[in-house]
Amino acid sequence: MLSGLPGGAGVNIAHEAVDRHAAGPLQHRTAFRWIGESGDVQELTYGRLAALTSRFANGLAALGIERGDRVFACADRIPELYIAAIGALKHGAVFCPLFSAFGPEPLYQRLERGDARALLTTGRIYRRKIAPLLPRLPRLQHVILADAAAEGTIAYPRFLDAAPDVYTIAPTDPEDPALLHFTSGTSGMPKGALHVHGAVVAHYATGAHVLDLRDGDLFWCTADPGWVTGTIYGLITPLVMGVTSIIDAGPFDAVRWMRLLSEQGVTVWYTSPSAIRRLMRLPPGAVRKEDFRRLRHILSVGEPLPPDAVAWGREVLDRTIHDTWWQTETGAIMVANVPGRPVRPGSMGMPIPGVTATVLQEGEAGAVGVVQDPETAGELGLAVGWPSMFRAYLGEPERYERCFSGGWYRSGDLVRRDADGYFWFVGRKDDIIKTSGQMVGPFEVERLLLSHPSVADAGVIGKPDAMLGESVKAFVVLKSGIRPDDESRRELIAFSRKNLGAAIAPREIEFISSIPRNRAGKVMRRLLKARETGGAAGDTSTLAE
Ligand code: ATP
Ligand code: MG
C-alpha cells in the first residue's frame, strides 16, 4: 500500500519510494546493488538511500533550485544518478534522465528544450560533451560532477558533505510535475512527456499486479534510466515496492547476463525482445547450465515479443516470458500478460485492472469510434484518466491535444483484439503499409523472415508504387556464411509467399549489413524508408552505432 505524505500533505514519489521504508522495518534492507563489469559490488540500504537523497535535496535547495525547476542527469548507471533522481523528486524539482551515450547535439537539444537548471554528470561526459555546450545553455547554472572536479562545476562529494541528511518533503499535490521523459525517437523527433507525482499509484499497481513483486524479491530491470522503462521500472517501482534490485553497471554481454541471473538469484526479471533475441543466439547448453530455480517471473517490453521468443523461454529457461505494452506517454504498463492468466504467444495480453483499452477506428471528421468486431485492426485507445497519463508534450500543446479524441487517448499503435479480449500488436500507425487496398504491419513480415534459418535481422517498409499504392520491401541481414545472391533472394521470397500469401509477401528483398535500430533496440523503419526514397532521414539522435 502507499502511505501519502505525513499529515495529509499529498503524495510525493520519493516519499513512497524511499522515506517511508527508511522510517520502518525496511531501513536495513538493500535497495540497490550495483554490479560492475569486473564484478565489483556496491550496495545502498533504504536507510542510507534516504539520507543521501535528503542531502541531495538540501544541496539543490542551497543552490536556489526551486520546486518545478528541471534537474537533469546524464551518466552511466552509477549510484549518483539514482540518488539525484530521488533527491530531485524530494525537493519537488522535475527530474529528467538523459542517456549517457548521446552525443553533444542530442544533449543540447534536450537540455535546451527541457530548460535544464541543474545537471548531474561525470567528468568524462562533462569534458567531452557538456562543457562546449555551456555558452549555448545560459539557463543551466549548476553542473554537479559525480567523480571529478572541474572549474565552474560542483564536486558531488562536497555537494553532499555540506548538506544535512534530513529533509522534510514539502506538501506535494498529485498533479505536481515530477518527471520529464523524452521518447525513443523511433518515429521522429523525440517528444518530451511530462509526468506527475500522482503517477506513483500506477507504479505501485503495476509493480504489484504485473511485475508481481513480493517481499524478499530480487528484481532486475535491464533498461537504462535514459529510457522510460529504466526510470519507472529500473528505479522508482522496485523502491515503491520495497524490494532489492540489482543494477548491471556494465554494457550488454549475453554470457555475463545469464550468469548474473543465476549467481545473483534474480526472482523477477524485466527485459526486452532485443536482449532476448541476443540471448537466443547463445548455445542452449551454455544457458541451461545456469541455475534459474529462483527466477519466478520474466517480462518483456519495447517491441513485439515474437512467439519463438516465448518458445525459447519455455524451452531453455523453463519459464514463460510475459509481454507488456506501454509507452513513454502512458507512464506505466497498460496492457500486459499478468501472472496466472494463460499466455497466448505473440499477444501482449489484456488491459490491466483500472485501465480501459479499446480498438479505435477513424470516423467522420476526425471523430473516432470503437471497433466492435474482434480481429479487426485499429488504433489502440486508452480511456483518459489513468493516474500515470502524461500531462503535456514539452512545448507542443497542439500535438498533445491531437492525441485525444472522444475521451480516448490515441496511442499511435495499431492492434487487434481477439474474441477473448487478448490484444495483438499489428504495427505503428506511421509504419503501416497500404498495398493494393490491404493493410500490412511490417512487423508481421519481419517476424516471418526472422524465422528463416538464413536471416539474422530484417526491416520491412512500404515502397511507393504506382500500381499498388505501396509495395512491400524487405531489408535483410543474412547470417554469416550465407551468400547475398539471387538464389538466397528467391528462396526468401518463396518462403514469404508460402507463409504470408502473395499479397503480403515482400516483392523485393535487399541485402544490407545491418538494420538501423535505436539504442532501445527498435527498428527505425523511417531510416530504411529514407534510404529507399532518398528522403530526409530526420532526427537520428537515438540511433545505435
Ligand atoms: P517515438 O514516440 O519517439 O517514435 P517510441 O514510440 O519508440 O519513440 P517509447 O515510448 O519508448 O518511444 O516506446 C513506446 C512504443 O514502443 C509503443 O508505442 C510501441 O510502438 C512499442 N512497444 C512497446 N511495448 C511493446 C510491445 N509489448 N509490443 C509491441 N510494441 C511495443
Ligand atoms: Mg512513441
Side-chain angles (χ1 to χ4, degrees):
M1 288 292 277
L2 301 173
S3 71
L5 284 168
V11 55
N12 183 294
I13 294 174
H15 172 77
E16 304 301 336
V18 177
D19 282 11
R20 71 188 174 110
H21 299 313
L26 297 190
Q27 60 178 300
H28 300 300
R29 177 173 287 177
T30 300
F32 290 125
R33 178 184 303 149
W34 286 268
I35 302 165
E37 222 172 319
S38 52
D40 48 310
V41 169
Q42 230 179 316
E43 291 196 335
L44 279 183
T45 62
Y46 278 92
R48 188 86 185 116
L49 191 57
L52 293 173
T53 53
S54 287
R55 284 186 180 189
F56 199 92
N58 279 314
L60 291 176
L63 293 180
I65 298 293
E66 293 179 4
R67 296 177 72 77
D69 280 351
R70 313 260 167 78
V71 173
F72 279 60
C74 178
D76 295 333
R77 292 179 291 282
I78 55 174
E80 292 82 353
L81 165 66
Y82 294 72
I83 291 164
I86 299 293
L89 293 171
K90 273 190 177 177
H91 187 54
V94 177
F95 179 72
C96 180
L98 297 178
F99 195 54
S100 63
F102 280 148
E105 202 49 38
L107 288 176
Y108 170 75
Q109 285 292 333
R110 288 163 178 81
L111 291 164
E112 204 273 332
R113 282 167 61 197
D115 191 26
R117 307 302 305 280
L119 168 71
L120 174 109
T121 187
T122 62
R124 192 180 54 91
I125 295 172
Y126 176 74
R127 278 190 307 276
R128 284 204 204 153
K129 303 191 271 199
I130 305 290
L133 299 176
L134 289 178
R136 292 159 71 201
L137 293 168
R139 298 265 299 160
L140 177 55
Q141 286 150 355
H142 312 288
V143 177
I144 305 157
L145 296 189
D147 57 352
E151 207 189 309
T153 68
I154 306 159
Y156 176 84
R158 259 192 288 148
F159 181 66
L160 283 207
D161 280 352
D165 57 12
V166 178
Y167 184 92
T168 306
I169 298 175
T172 312
D173 190 88
E175 285 299 311
D176 281 351
L179 296 163
L180 173 64
H181 270 297
F182 286 91
T183 61
S184 302
T186 310
S187 55
M189 188 66 172
K191 298 146 275 189
L194 192 66
H195 290 279
V196 297
H197 278 276
V200 72
V201 172
H203 305 153
Y204 179 84
T206 51
H209 303 299
V210 184
L211 301 183
D212 190 33
L213 291 173
R214 305 175 195 170
D215 198 37
D217 266 336
L218 186 72
F219 178 59
W220 184 19
C221 169
T222 60
D224 187 276
W227 310 120
V228 71
T229 304
T231 306
I232 302 302
Y233 293 106
L235 202 172
I236 292 172
T237 300
L239 294 177
V240 170
M241 299 304 293
V243 301
T244 301
S245 291
I246 64 162
I247 295 163
D248 175 25
F252 179 87
D253 173 335
V255 172
R256 203 186 69 245
W257 271 30
M258 285 291 123
R259 206 174 304 139
L260 273 182
L261 278 176
S262 79
E263 281 177 5
Q264 292 289 323
V266 172
T267 57
V268 180
W269 188 38
Y270 199 11
T271 190
S272 66
S274 58
I276 292 168
R277 247 195 322 273
R278 288 163 76 174
L279 298 174
M280 284 166 72
R281 290 187 206 148
L282 288 175
V287 180
R288 280 207 191 90
K289 77 173 202 290
E290 303 290 348
D291 173 4
F292 301 115
R293 263 174 303 180
R294 290 200 59 199
L295 189 56
R296 187 180 80 242
H297 191 32
I298 309 179
L299 307 100
S300 164
V301 69
E303 278 196 299
L305 181 70
D308 63 322
V310 179
W312 174 86
R314 285 180 172 160
E315 213 176 289
V316 177
L317 302 175
D318 196 22
R319 299 288 180 280
T320 295
I321 306 173
H322 293 67
D323 192 15
T324 65
W325 178 93
W326 62 293
Q327 308 176 304
T328 308
E329 290 86 343
T330 69
I333 298 166
M334 296 283 110
V335 178
N337 289 286
V338 293
R341 190 193 296 133
V343 166
R344 297 191 174 169
S347 159
M348 58 202 211
M350 296 187 193
I352 64 163
V355 169
T356 306
T358 197
V359 185
L360 299 172
Q361 64 192 354
E362 209 97 19
E364 304 280 304
V368 293
V370 169
V371 172
Q372 300 298 349
D373 297 339
E375 302 296 351
T376 303
E379 185 170 1
L380 172 56
L382 300 167
V384 168
W386 72 97
S388 60
M389 188 175 92
F390 70 136
R391 299 300 200 269
Y393 272 138
L394 194 65
E396 299 182 284
E398 281 151 24
R399 178 176 221 156
Y400 184 75
E401 288 309 317
R402 278 202 306 275
C403 293
F404 299 93
S405 180
W408 298 102
Y409 163 68
R410 305 178 60 167
S411 68
D413 283 347
L414 298 182
V415 294
R416 59 190 172 78
R417 180 167 43 184
D418 69 21
D420 300 313
Y422 283 80
F423 281 69
W424 301 74
F425 185 80
V426 173
R428 288 166 184 262
K429 240 169 89 179
D430 300 346
D431 286 343
I432 285 298
I433 303 164
K434 294 182 197 84
T435 183
S436 24
Q438 196 157 346
M439 309 261 273
V440 178
F443 146 72
E444 203 78 13
V445 181
E446 288 161 10
R447 188 167 73 183
L448 190 267
L449 287 167
L450 280 167
S451 74
H452 190 281
S454 310
V455 175
D457 205 357
V460 168
I461 58 160
K463 176 179 173 173
D465 182 291
M467 288 283 292
L468 304 167
E470 285 182 305
S471 70
V472 180
K473 165 153 187 183
F475 292 86
V476 168
V477 180
L478 290 171
K479 287 195 179 149
S480 60
I482 312 282
R483 292 166 71 104
D485 54 15
D486 279 342
E487 199 187 316
S488 299
R489 191 172 288 117
R490 273 195 300 273
E491 154 73 20
L492 287 177
I493 288 182
F495 173 75
S496 306
R497 289 202 165 170
K498 185 171 148 233
N499 288 287
L500 296 169
I504 297 179
R507 301 203 163 219
E508 195 182 327
I509 288 184
E510 182 175 335
F511 296 121
I512 57 177
S513 60
S514 72
I515 299 293
R517 288 178 178 272
N518 62 24
R519 295 177 193 283
K522 305 178 197 216
V523 180
M524 293 174 87
R525 296 184 191 83
R526 63 186 166 93
L527 297 189
L528 291 173
K529 209 151 186 169
R531 175 190 168 117
E532 183 62 38
T533 58
D539 180 83
T540 53
S541 64
T542 60
L543 182 67
E545 273 107 40

